[in-house]
């Protein structure tokens, strides 16, 4: 929140998943943290999450701009692992006042581990289901006698298979950090992050017209692609954070970040399934009609070359796979200057914040589309899929650029002996989208840059009924920049706008051992771009330019207005020395208000009306000292996988349970976790027909040892 206020005094909903929950649940991929937070839903990330993190908040999908690390924009690429993360913070609702062009559902911030003032070394080894091999180290060292200079290194290697055939991943992470804290006024931290991630991309079951029931009938491990289809990326980041107290009540914070994330995606996806008896031209699959029998797939598929070698007669279900390769050279320069000032004007207290941020991002793309591949649908063998080519196209002669600037001013005024709080804030934004050509003379004469300069307000009112109970209400707005038109690059799409009203209660019970937030909200989103199949547009009578149909059969359209309403409850705490709990409940009602394709009143996809989660951990302190037991239950009510709200895409309710057994003393750590204890088989969905089987039962074992712990 960029505020020095306690959570109970902030008129907005904030939830934190801290290192204790991450450790107790053995959270490896940060996707797993969100079951502990109300209103947050993991969605059908392309490649089953290996390409990026995709999360919806309060019914709306978050964009890549909604993910932060230590408050700074990061490239949302690859798997997000937890080894160098201390906690995950979720600020719910529109946060454009603080962060500019973000989706209105909320902002997710990953807080990294920092050096400590004492020496320790912790080594861990984790293994478990699907052949996981995962050693890691957390090393902390003070570098001088008074401990004012300290360093910390988190390092991890992971290699594992999957519950899906042919799917593997290999991951390396190094996160060195050095901190200089000469006194109570000054601290300077420099952090480096090096990640290398290589994963086989799992496209799931991506065939138009396949229902959930049909997807569930397909073997859970069946893989419709090739191990050649991969997501490969590296990250090199360097971050400097300086905090200085100019006065006891005036603090400066300067953060600078450089991030380079080159990413290569070799993607294969299912375009269509042809039935036995179909006759398909050889050219559809990029097969040379002069030598069709030399094609590597045909001899192992039940097909016949007919019509004088021009067509294929299919004697089994044949799957057609799209095939392309994309290299993105992503660079990100982020800078943030903040001032927090606490002062009084007579009997009125102020907690003021002023911020200035500047972020410059570039992306140079190399793209190549290959002829479609083919394979068997009923008995797929990825080793015989044809037309798997390497990327050898020339990079684009330009870089797409995004320049974000923002000036924030916010003041929380405290009246009536601190019982009444009034929050007022305003942000002035500048967002420029352009292309930087290597040769300026190649820039098209009709090509234009676009700058948006919205002004975003936030107001809030909070009343402290008692020192441990507060009630609040707030209003906030958001805007999202949507970039260029997919097929007319000289045109930009209009921004998506959001508005939210929220009210809630915050309380700390049992001498502040248990914290609780109950919030109710109404959030409206306008002008939301999306994609639909051209065949659906034909069915609904929507006119479009055939030249704008994508290679996978989609067109762009704009949904004019959508709304979500809901109630969220979050609570967490350590009730005594032995028992800690964290729980959440969500009631969510989403609705299409104005749309040219889908019926008004329909629910949004991937938005269950009811969901809840509860995690408890009991650590024995007497005869069984060191032993801990954990139990979690996480439930989702039924929800639709498409905006048509069709019965064929209706997900059944599901409940997943987790258990944990641990032992820990001064040096030794042992932990076993079983996720999805009852082996619930569930699928994520996107576009109404893109099904991704989610993990079945999984077991993790970890052994750790602490050296030199003070």
């Amino acid at each position: 929140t960029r505020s020095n206020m306690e959570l109970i005094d902030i008129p907005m909903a904030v939830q934190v998943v801290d290192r204790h929950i991450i450790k107790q649940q053995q959270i490896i991929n940060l996707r797993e943290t969100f079951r502990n937070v109300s209103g947050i839903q993991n969605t059908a990330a392309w490649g089953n999450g290996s390409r990026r993190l995709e999360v919806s908040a309060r019914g709306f999908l978050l964009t890549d701009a909604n993910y932060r690390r230590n408050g700074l924009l990061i490239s949302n690429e690859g798997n997000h692992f937890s080894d160098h993360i201390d906690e995950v913070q979720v600020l719910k609702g529109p946060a454009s006042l603080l962060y500019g062009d973000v989706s209105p559902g909320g902002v997710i911030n990953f807080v990294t581990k920092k050096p400590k003032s004492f020496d320790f070394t912790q080594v861990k080894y984790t293994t478990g289901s699907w052949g996981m091999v995962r050693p890691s180290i957390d090393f902390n060292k003070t570098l001088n006698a008074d401990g004012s200079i300290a360093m910390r290194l988190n390092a991890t290697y992971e290699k594992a298979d999957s519950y899906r055939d042919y799917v593997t991943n290999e991951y390396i992470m190094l996160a060195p950090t050095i901190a200089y804290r000469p006194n109570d006024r000054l601290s300077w931290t420099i952090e480096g992050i090096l990640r290398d991630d290589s994963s086989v991309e799992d496209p799931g079951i991506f065939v138009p017209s396949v229902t959930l029931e049909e997807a569930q009938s397909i073997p859970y491990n069946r893989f419709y692609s090739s191990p050649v289809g991969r997501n490969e990326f590296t990250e090199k980041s360097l971050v400097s954070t300086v905090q200085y107290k100019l006065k006891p009540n005036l603090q400066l914070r300067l953060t600078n970040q450089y991030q380079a994330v080159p990413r290569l995606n070799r993607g294969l996806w299912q375009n269509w399934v042809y039935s036995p008896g179909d006759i398909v031209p050889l050219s559809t699959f990029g097969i040379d009609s002069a030598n069709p029998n030399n094609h590597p797939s045909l001899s192992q598929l039940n097909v016949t070359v007919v019509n004088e070698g021009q067509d294929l007669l299919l004697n089994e279900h044949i799957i057609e796979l799209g095939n392309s390769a994309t290299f993105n050279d992503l660079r990100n320069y982020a800078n943030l200057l903040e001032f927090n000032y606490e002062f009084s004007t007579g009997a009125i207290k102020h907690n003021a914040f002023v911020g200035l941020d500047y972020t410059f991002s570039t992306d140079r793309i190399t793209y190549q589309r290959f002829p479609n591949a083919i394979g068997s649908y009923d008995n797929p063998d990825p080793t015989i899929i044809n037309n798997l080519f390497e990327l050898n196209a020339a990079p684009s002669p330009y870089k797409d650029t995004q320049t974000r600037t923002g000036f924030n001013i916010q003041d929380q005024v405290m009246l009536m002996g601190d019982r009444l709080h009034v929050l007022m804030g305003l942000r002035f934004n500048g967002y420029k989208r352009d292309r930087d050509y290597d040769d300026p003379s190649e820039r098209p004469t009709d090509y234009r840059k676009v700058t948006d300069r919205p002004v975003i307000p936030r107001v809030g009112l909070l009343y402290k009924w008692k020192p441990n109970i507060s009630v609040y209400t707030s209003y906030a707005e958001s805007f999202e920049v949507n970039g260029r038109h997919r097929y007319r690059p000289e045109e930009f799409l209009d921004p998506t706008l959001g508005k939210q009203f929220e009210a809630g209660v915050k309380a700390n019970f049992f001498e502040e051992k248990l914290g609780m937030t109950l919030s109710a909200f109404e959030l409206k989103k306008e002008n939301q771009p999306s994609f639909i199949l051209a065949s659906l547009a034909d069915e609904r009578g929507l006119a479009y330019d055939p030249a704008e149909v994508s290679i996978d059969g989609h067109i762009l359209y704009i949904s004019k207005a959508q709304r979500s309403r809901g109630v969220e409850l979050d609570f967490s705490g350590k009730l005594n020395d032995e028992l800690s709990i964290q729980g959440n409940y969500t009631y969510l009602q989403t609705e299409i208000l104005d749309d040219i394709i889908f019926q008004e009143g329909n629910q949004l996809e991937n938005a269950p009306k009811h969901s809840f989660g509860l995690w408890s951990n009991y650590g024995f302190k007497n005869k069984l000292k060191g032993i801990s037991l954990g139990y979690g239950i996480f439930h989702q009510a039924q929800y639709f996988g498409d905006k048509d709200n069709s019965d064929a895409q209706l997900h059944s309710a599901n409940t997943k349970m987790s258990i944990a057994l641990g032992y820990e003393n001064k040096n030794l750590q042992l932990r076993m976790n079983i996720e999805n204890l009852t082996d619930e088989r569930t699928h994520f969905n996107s576009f109404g027909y893109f099904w991704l089987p989610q993990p079945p039962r999984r077991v993790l074992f970890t052994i750790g040892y602490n050296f030199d712990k003070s």
Side-chain angles (χ1 to χ4, degrees), residues 154-345:
N154 283 274
T156 301
Y157 170 79
E158 177 182 313
K159 187 173 184 180
D161 296 326
S162 170
Y163 57 98
R164 304 276 287 163
D165 291 342
Y166 302 99
V167 176
T168 63
N169 75 279
E170 188 169 14
Y171 170 78
I172 299 173
M173 188 275 295
L174 297 172
T177 305
I178 188 167
Y180 175 53
R181 294 181 287 254
N183 51 52
D184 293 337
R185 297 178 64 187
L186 174 66
S187 70
W188 183 18
T189 304
I190 298 176
E191 301 177 69
I193 298 175
L194 304 172
R195 293 194 297 158
D196 186 272
D197 191 331
S198 178
S199 303
V200 173
E201 183 174 271
D202 179 9
I205 306 161
F206 191 59
V207 182
S209 79
V210 170
T211 67
L212 175 58
E213 183 178 2
E214 291 170 331
Q216 290 172 334
S217 70
I218 295 172
Y220 212 65
N221 60 325
R222 182 177 290 176
F223 176 64
Y224 285 115
S225 186
S226 167
V228 175
R230 304 184 69 87
N231 288 308
E232 298 178 348
F233 83 98
T234 58
E235 176 188 356
K236 298 177 182 178
S237 294
L238 185 64
V239 184
S240 168
T241 304
V242 176
Q243 296 187 85
Y244 184 67
K245 287 186 177 181
L246 300 168
K247 296 180 179 180
N249 61 334
L250 176 60
Q251 179 175 293
L252 172 150
R253 184 171 182 260
L254 174 64
T255 311
N256 308 94
Q257 171 186 269
Y258 167 73
Q259 185 181 48
V261 187
R263 181 195 72 192
L264 174 64
N265 171 249
R266 288 281 291 108
L268 288 94
W269 63 93
Q270 302 136 50
N271 275 341
W272 204 258
V273 173
Y274 296 91
S275 301
D278 288 349
I279 296 178
V280 185
L282 288 169
S283 59
T284 301
F285 306 122
I287 299 174
D288 183 5
S289 59
N291 265 310
N293 293 322
N294 291 335
H295 191 281
S297 298
L298 295 188
S299 62
Q300 300 183 58
L301 298 175
N302 192 3
V303 298
T304 306
V305 179
V306 296
N307 297 337
E308 299 181 350
Q310 298 299 309
D311 302 315
L312 283 179
L313 171 64
L314 308 184
N315 302 308
E316 65 169 321
H317 287 96
I318 296 295
I319 190 168
E320 177 188 3
L321 296 165
N323 182 14
S324 68
T326 307
F327 179 75
N328 296 85
D329 188 5
L330 300 161
R331 306 294 172 100
N332 182 31
Y333 307 84
N335 306 274
L336 175 62
L337 176 63
E338 303 167 280
F339 291 91
N340 288 94
Y341 187 31
E342 300 175 44
F343 63 98
S344 298
T345 53

Side-chain angles (χ1 to χ4, degrees), residues 117 142-149:
S117 59
T142 54
L143 301 180
N144 59 352
D146 63 3
S148 61
I149 304 176

Side-chain angles (χ1 to χ4, degrees), residues 15-19 21-22 27 33 36-37 86-88 582:
Q15 186 64 18
V16 176
V17 180
D18 67 15
R19 63 184 182 275
I21 296 295
I22 293 173
I27 292 174
T33 61
N36 298 289
V37 182
D86 202 43
E87 65 182 32
V88 178
Q582 180 140 346

Side-chain angles (χ1 to χ4, degrees), residues 10 75 98-99 179 188 206 238 249 261 329 417 496 498 550 562 656:
I10 297 174
S75 294
L98 299 173
Y99 296 105
W188 183 18
F206 191 59
L238 185 64
N249 61 334
V261 187
D329 188 5
T496 299
S550 70
Q562 303 169 356
K656 296 183 179 181

Side-chain angles (χ1 to χ4, degrees), residues 399-458:
K399 295 183 289 187
D400 284 308
T401 66
Q402 300 176 72
T403 305
R404 297 173 168 93
T405 57
F407 175 72
N408 313 69
I409 184 167
Q410 177 178 290
D411 189 15
Q412 185 155 339
V413 180
M414 289 154 275
L415 312 164
M416 298 170 55
D418 293 352
R419 297 190 69 179
L420 179 64
H421 294 213
V422 181
L423 175 70
M424 298 170 289
L426 206 62
R427 177 183 172 95
F428 301 88
N429 296 275
Y431 188 100
K432 183 174 74 172
R433 296 163 288 179
D434 201 357
R435 277 182 175 169
D436 183 7
Y437 280 80
D438 299 333
D439 182 353
S441 66
E442 295 183 2
R443 185 184 181 97
T445 56
D446 61 347
Y447 193 84
R448 62 189 180 93
K449 64 183 179 181
V450 172
T451 300
D452 296 292
R453 294 189 176 90
V455 178
I456 301 296
R458 178 192 284 275

